[in-house]
Amino acid sequence: KQLTWQTFIGASRLAQDSGKPLPELIDNVTSPNGTTWAGRQILENSDVKKILVDTIVRAKTRADELSQGK
């Protein structure tokens, strides 16, 4: 669990501080035909991006509703 959190924190800091586009950073840590590449194939060929965007949009809409007392 601690390794997961530390990896997330390190990746977040790198993304924030590097000034490089996120796709470039992701490509930099993806070895051809490696484990990250295999996982990316699943994610990139699925609807996960749409699901995440829809989830965030719906949560924001609901937060707005709640702030208006609905």
Side-chain angles (χ1 to χ4, degrees), residues 8-68:
F8 177 78
I9 291 167
S12 298
R13 285 184 183 151
L14 178 64
Q16 184 177 20
D17 298 341
S18 74
K20 294 181 180 179
L22 212 48
E24 182 179 336
L25 292 173
I26 293 167
D27 286 342
N28 288 344
V29 299
T30 303
S31 300
N33 296 314
T35 57
T36 303
W37 175 85
R40 283 181 64 187
Q41 297 308 300
I42 298 298
L43 292 172
E44 291 172 2
N45 292 310
S46 72
D47 289 335
V48 73
K49 184 174 182 178
K50 181 183 181 327
I51 291 167
L52 291 172
V53 169
D54 289 350
T55 299
I56 293 166
V57 168
R58 179 62 184 114
K60 168 73 168 81
T61 300
R62 184 63 184 138
D64 292 343
E65 293 169 354
L66 290 171
S67 71
Q68 295 172 8

